[in-house]
Amino acid sequence: NAGVTQTPKFRVLKTGQSMTLLCAQDMNHEYMYWYRQDPGMGLRLIHYSVGEGTTAKGEVPDGYNVSRLKKQNFLLGLESAAPSQTSVYFCASSYLAGGPSTDTQYFGPGTRLTVL
Amino acid sequence: AQSVAQPEDQVNVAEGNPLTVKCTYSVSGNPYLFWYVQYPNRGLQFLLKYITGDNLVKGSYGFEAEFNKSQTSFHLKKPSALVSDSALYFCAVRDMSGGYQKVTFGTGTKLQVIP
């Protein structure tokens, strides 16, 4: 099992450019999440999904869009990148809430994004 | 609203000494509580969790955590620190009341174990 994988690992964008981060999991998890990690602020939830075809906003959704067309994939899009979006982005997945492994989240290795 | 606080940005401990990383939480209902560890340039890894039952929870790599409902705390402990324990530790909480609630993470505590 690969677990949770993220592509790309690193990216540098210019202000106004767009990009898509891909997250894939092979554990058949229902829930998937996108977080950003910034120094001194811990992890902040951007968007999450409770199943294929559904998405919801987290704490800091502005400037990002997501899609969950397939259960195993969760895409994070930046339509017009801004320097404030320079961060490390983590994807995670978990079993259906309420199950025996409730909410234990499995994280990908992260994507380090710099917006100039 | 739920929240979690990690009052120490960094904890330094000598190798072989016991370590404690503090966490306090606030929820309106019963909490699910978690500890995760992050090694440099890696994603977070699950260490342990409290759902219900025994207040002392044992997890990976010899870590344990004690749930204290009256003090709303969930401190992470290890009897004897190793240099390899040096990492960033995150406490997290989920409120179990009122349907699905997201997990809220603390800001993290950097643990430095000194040889």
Side-chain angles (χ1 to χ4, degrees):
Chain A
N1 283 353
V4 180
T5 58
Q6 293 181 233
T7 52
K9 288 184 168 53
F10 303 94
R11 187 73 186 267
V12 178
L13 290 179
K14 294 182 180 178
T15 297
Q17 287 184 317
S18 64
M19 77 163 295
T20 300
L21 282 67
L22 172 64
C23 175
Q25 53 95 3
D26 61 1
M27 296 173 283
N28 202 34
H29 286 170
E30 291 290 339
Y31 286 66
M32 295 188 75
Y33 315 81
W34 275 107
Y35 294 91
R36 59 178 290 173
Q37 184 179 27
D38 302 290
M41 303 193 74
L43 272 78
R44 292 182 291 169
L45 183 65
I46 304 171
H47 287 280
Y48 65 98
S49 168
V50 301
E52 181 178 322
T54 70
T55 62
K57 293 180 180 180
E59 299 172 70
V60 288
D62 294 343
Y64 305 95
N65 56 76
V66 288
S67 64
R68 182 105 181 263
L69 298 179
K70 294 183 179 180
K71 186 177 183 178
Q72 64 267 35
N73 294 338
F74 194 30
L75 278 63
L76 177 71
L78 286 72
E79 289 186 347
S80 180
S84 60
Q85 294 178 303
T86 294
S87 186
V88 181
Y89 291 86
F90 288 100
C91 176
S93 68
S94 68
Y95 290 106
L96 187 63
S101 299
T102 299
D103 267 339
T104 298
Q105 295 188 20
Y106 296 80
F107 283 80
T111 295
R112 188 173 296 273
L113 175 67
T114 301
V115 183
L116 302 176
Chain B
Q2 60 190 35
S3 65
V4 61
Q6 294 181 243
E8 301 155 317
D9 290 336
Q10 181 160 335
V11 170
N12 297 323
V13 64
E15 186 177 23
N17 282 3
L19 70 87
T20 299
V21 182
K22 295 179 180 177
C23 172
T24 59
Y25 67 90
S26 174
V27 296
S28 56
N30 292 321
Y32 280 5
L33 292 155
F34 306 84
W35 276 101
Y36 287 83
V37 60
Q38 184 181 30
Y39 297 101
N41 301 312
R42 304 287 296 276
L44 277 69
Q45 297 176 30
F46 170 75
L47 269 182
L48 52 79
K49 66 182 175 186
Y50 171 84
I51 303 295
T52 187
D54 195 348
N55 289 344
L56 185 64
V57 179
K58 293 189 183 298
S60 307
Y61 311 121
F63 283 93
E64 58 189 26
E66 187 167 10
F67 171 64
N68 188 317
K69 189 172 184 177
S70 63
Q71 296 185 3
T72 61
S73 67
F74 189 57
H75 300 332
L76 181 70
K77 300 181 180 183
K78 188 174 182 182
S80 179
L82 299 172
V83 173
S84 57
D85 293 330
S86 299
L88 189 56
Y89 291 81
F90 289 93
C91 182
V93 67
R94 179 156 94 81
D95 191 334
M96 286 310 300
S97 63
Y100 177 72
Q101 302 278 353
K102 65 177 179 66
V103 174
T104 298
F105 287 83
T107 52
T109 298
K110 183 178 181 181
L111 174 66
Q112 190 76 34
V113 180
I114 303 162

